[in-house]
Amino acid sequence: MPTPAWQKSSYCAQGDSCVHVAADTDRVLLTESADPRGTILTATPAAFSALLQSASHRD
């Protein structure tokens, strides 16, 4: 498996508290910048889209 092409969140400020995302056609990977090779969460594109939509609907 090729090394993921990680992208830092555009909402990230300076420091180690950032979310990094990598994607291909059938999965989306998420990790934190403090340990990008540590825990990696995997989601389907549909599940990741639902997460983003849920996070963008603030009360």
Side-chain angles (χ1 to χ4, degrees):
M1 180 166 100
T3 302
W6 294 105
Q7 296 181 351
K8 185 168 65 170
S9 168
S10 61
Y11 288 97
C12 181
Q14 299 288 329
D16 287 337
S17 301
C18 300
V19 174
H20 288 232
V21 178
D24 60 27
T25 58
D26 62 345
R27 64 191 179 140
V28 178
L29 306 171
L30 296 144
T31 192
E32 64 169 320
S33 59
D35 188 12
R37 293 206 166 122
T39 303
I40 298 174
L41 303 175
T42 304
T44 64
F48 184 66
S49 177
L51 173 68
L52 293 179
Q53 288 204 353
S54 176
S56 69
H57 294 294
R58 298 179 224 189
D59 292 328

